[in-house]
């Protein structure tokens, strides 16, 4: 990670922050004015010395203030004005930079999250959730810390060098050259440090993401950790991830800590040159005593802030490493793009058709090949097959989580890629095997697809999903908290709430992806009763391993290795004596037949 790379990241950030240009200019102007006021007292000290030494012949006397007393009073008033101005502009730049930092970090996080929501499912399947959380949270906070103080510090160091340099060259070009001699070394050291520090801080950001991933995964899997009594092993793995982060930081700190002592020695060289050479010139009368005082004080004012350059660059490098990660996330292309135009004509009939659909996951041979299936309005299609055969892939293609490599998917004879995602997904209700409930109440989760639904509508959906019986026995009823991911509810209860959530949406197409695979027989029977009620006039696509749950389907498609190998209703497939019939015998026959299971 080079100096050029960091500047490139800064350029990308400034392009992103175009809408904040006025605020940036205002904050920068306040920083510059504050620093000019900050330097002025050192000049006034030199002028005051000149007044005391030369009195009526002083520089101030030439401005019309004849007596030394008038001159001192004038300097006192000027000092008050300068200190008041410095305080005012310090207040202003603090307010402007800090508010800018807050606004920018909030907008960056929001934009990153909204962009992530639009990214293809393939991206999430290849990325760690912990890395994404670290990018949207810790990396954004790192940039905020730089804008809070580092940006102002960098601007003020530059202003100091320019303004003090101008004063030096006016008073004594020779001493200016001597005082500025260490500055090239300091700047070279800063850039050298930056080149070395860049990769180290990139590693720090990576280790933060690894640590966040470890924490996120362990907390999500705490029940499994406890059941296998693996607490000590997981604590050790977390310790190793934490130590890797500490070690990455240690390598960066070791470099930044070495920078300051080297810079201090360079500064001492410049100060001693001003102190000794300027003093000799003042003794010879070649330099005004007041001017000598100004130069000595300004040398410190010029050089000492440069000791903080390492810390500023430290903040800068951390921020640019984070900025790269944030903007790289924002730059991830969206393959499945929302046309945002056509909508399904109302009323939506819900006829679904797959025409020659083929798709393969990246870096995998798994997928589907040449799928031709049709589900007329109000009919039920069941998909059966072994794990990995491609059943869930068809559902993902229907929802446009992915686009097919060949062929097309149609709803009501409209290609789904021509529809807006809101129209497409609004017409489909999904009940997945892996039920996800959001932290909040039962009411919030059922009404997730229709936040404006009335209580009567929520209760009716719960009744149809056979969830109302257990909900009304709870102390707080619909207002009962479900806990994170629904941990306070049983698997069957979560599945019924998921079904109620889909029913309240009242979609013309209902997709059930292994909706009864993880529930007990009583819950399965309840869900089956619900499905018989809601299937009338609605297109239903079901994925099931238990063939007993799909015997009433209008059409059953058997999928093997991504291809449809059998189609028909239950009776037709049994009569065909193919793979479906064999599996039916396995599931309804003797236990010894389990070894022959193909689905």
């Amino acid at each position: 990670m080079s100096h050029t790379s960091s500047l490139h990241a800064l350029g990308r950030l400034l392009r992103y922050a175009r809408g904040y240009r006025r605020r940036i200019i205002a904050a920068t102007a306040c920083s510059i004015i504050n620093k000019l006021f900050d330097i002025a007292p050192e000049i006034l000290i030199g002028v005051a010395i000149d007044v005391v030494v030369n009195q009526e012949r002083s520089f101030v006397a030439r401005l019309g203030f004849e007596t030394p007393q008038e001159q001192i009073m004038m300097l006192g008033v000027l000092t008050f004005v300068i200190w008041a101005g410095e305080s005012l502009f310090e207040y202003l730049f603090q307010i402007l930079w800090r508010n800018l930092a807050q606004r920018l970090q909030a907008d960056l996080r929001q934009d990153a999250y909204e962009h992530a929501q639009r990214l293809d499912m393939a991206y999430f399947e290849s990325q760690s959730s912990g890395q994404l959380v670290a990018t949207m949270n810790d990396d954004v906070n790192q940039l905020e810390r730089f804008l809070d103080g580092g940006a102002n510090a960098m601007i003020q160091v530059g202003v100091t060098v320019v303004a003090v340099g101008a004063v030096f060259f006016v008073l004594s070009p020779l001493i200016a050259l001597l005082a500025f001699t260490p500055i090239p070394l300091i700047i070279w050291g800063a850039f050298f440090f930056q080149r070395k520090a860049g990769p180290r801080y990139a590693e720090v950001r990576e280790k933060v993401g690894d640590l966040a991933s470890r924490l996120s995964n362990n907390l999500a899997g705490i029940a499994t950790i406890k059941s296998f009594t693996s607490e000590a092993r997981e604590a050790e793995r977390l310790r190793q991830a934490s130590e890797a982060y500490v070690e990455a930081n240690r390598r960066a700190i070791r470099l930044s800590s070495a920078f300051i002592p080297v810079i201090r020695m360079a500064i001492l060289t410049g100060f001693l040159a001003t102190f000794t050479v300027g003093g000799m010139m003042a003794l010879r009368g070649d330099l005004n005593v007041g001017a000598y005082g100004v130069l000595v004080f300004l040398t410190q004012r010029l050089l000492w802030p440069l000791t903080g350059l390492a810390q500023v660059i430290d903040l800068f490098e951390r921020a640019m490493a984070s900025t790269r990660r944030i903007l790289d996330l924002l730059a991830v292309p969206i393959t499945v793009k929302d046309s945002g135009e056509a909508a399904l004509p109302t009323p939506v009939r819900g006829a679904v058709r797959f025409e020659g659909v083929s798709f393969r996951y990246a870096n995998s041979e798994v997928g589907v090949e040449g799928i031709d299936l049709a589900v007329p309005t109000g009919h039920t299609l069941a998909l059966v097959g072994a794990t990995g055969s491609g059943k869930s892939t068809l559902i993902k293609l229907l929802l446009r989580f992915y686009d097919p490599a060949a062929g097309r998917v149609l709803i009501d004879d409209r290609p789904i890629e021509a529809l807006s995602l809101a129209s497409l997904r609004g017409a489909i209700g999904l009940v997945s095997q892996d039920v996800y409930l959001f932290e909040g109440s039962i009411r919030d989760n059922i009404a997730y697809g229709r936040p404006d639904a009335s209580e009567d509508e929520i209760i009716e959906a719960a009744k149809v999903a056979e969830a109302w019986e257990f909900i009304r026995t709870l102390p707080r009823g619909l207002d009962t908290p479900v806990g994170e991911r629904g941990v306070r509810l049983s698997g069957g209860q979560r599945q019924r709430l998921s079904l109620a959530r889909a029913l309240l949406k009242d979609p013309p197409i209902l997709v059930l992806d292994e909706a009864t695979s993880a529930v007990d027989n009583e819950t399965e029977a309840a869900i089956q009763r619900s499905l018989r009620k809601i299937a009338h006039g609605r297109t239903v696509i079901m994925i099931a391993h238990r063939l007993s749950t799909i015997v009433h389907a209008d059409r059953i498609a058997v999928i093997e290795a991504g291809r449809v190998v059998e189609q028909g209703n239950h009776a037709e497939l049994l009569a065909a004596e193919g793979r479906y019939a064999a599996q039916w015998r396995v599931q309804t026959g003797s236990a010894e037949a389990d070894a022959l299971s193909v689905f």
Side-chain angles (χ1 to χ4, degrees), residues 431-435 437 465 467 490-501 513-519 523 527:
V431 182
S432 176
Q433 172 185 4
D434 182 19
V435 176
L437 297 182
S490 71
Q493 289 171 336
R494 290 198 297 270
Q495 195 65 266
R496 293 186 208 192
L497 289 187
S498 176
L499 183 58
R501 180 166 62 191
D513 187 357
E514 298 281 6
T516 61
S517 66
V519 298
T523 303
I527 291 176

Side-chain angles (χ1 to χ4, degrees), residues 225-271:
I225 292 171
K226 286 179 176 292
S227 70
F228 283 92
T229 61
S230 298
E231 291 92 339
R233 180 174 33 167
E234 291 303 329
E236 174 59 23
R237 292 171 73 180
L238 179 64
R239 190 193 67 77
Q240 289 174 2
S242 184
E243 284 300 316
Y245 171 56
V246 169
E247 181 56 34
N249 253 315
R250 185 181 293 127
R251 284 193 288 271
I253 292 168
R254 189 183 302 131
L255 183 64
S256 63
S257 299
F259 180 62
I260 292 176
V262 173
I263 297 307
R264 287 174 69 92
M265 295 309 297
I267 288 168
L268 178 61
T269 304
F271 180 74

Side-chain angles (χ1 to χ4, degrees), residues 275-396:
F275 185 78
T276 55
V277 175
M280 294 298 180
M281 290 174 67
L283 288 173
R284 292 198 306 268
D286 296 336
L287 182 65
N288 182 287
V289 174
Y292 173 60
V294 170
L295 292 174
V296 170
F297 284 116
L298 283 184
T299 301
Q300 286 188 305
R301 180 63 72 182
L302 169 69
L303 298 175
W304 283 115
L306 294 175
T307 59
L309 199 57
Q311 293 170 319
V312 173
I313 292 178
D314 184 82
L315 270 176
F316 177 72
E317 278 301 332
R318 287 178 183 269
M320 290 307 103
S322 294
T323 297
R324 275 188 290 272
R325 283 162 55 97
I326 301 163
L327 296 180
D328 284 350
L329 171 59
L330 284 169
V332 174
I334 298 170
T335 305
V336 179
K337 294 182 179 176
D338 189 354
S339 66
E341 297 171 0
L344 283 166
T346 54
V348 179
R349 294 180 289 111
V352 177
R353 194 162 75 249
F354 295 87
E355 292 184 350
V357 171
S358 297
F359 172 80
R360 297 285 173 185
Y361 294 101
N363 305 317
S364 169
E365 292 302 313
V366 178
V368 293
E369 189 71 38
I371 297 290
D372 288 297
L373 286 171
V375 195
T377 301
H379 283 59
T380 298
L381 168 69
L383 304 174
V384 297
T387 299
S389 61
K391 306 182 300 298
S392 294
T393 299
L394 290 176
I395 303 304
K396 292 176 182 178

Side-chain angles (χ1 to χ4, degrees), residues 101-114:
Q102 291 302 313
R103 187 70 268 145
L104 186 58
Q105 63 94 12
D107 289 348
L108 256 179
R109 183 181 290 111
Q110 190 69 26
D111 288 349
Y113 174 73
E114 290 181 9

Side-chain angles (χ1 to χ4, degrees), residues 529-550:
R529 288 194 298 272
S530 301
L531 292 178
R532 279 193 289 274
K533 292 178 189 175
I534 64 177
H536 297 295
R538 195 188 308 269
T539 302
V540 180
I541 300 177
M542 303 174 63
I543 295 176
H545 276 107
R546 298 182 191 176
L547 302 188
S548 59
T549 64
I550 60 165

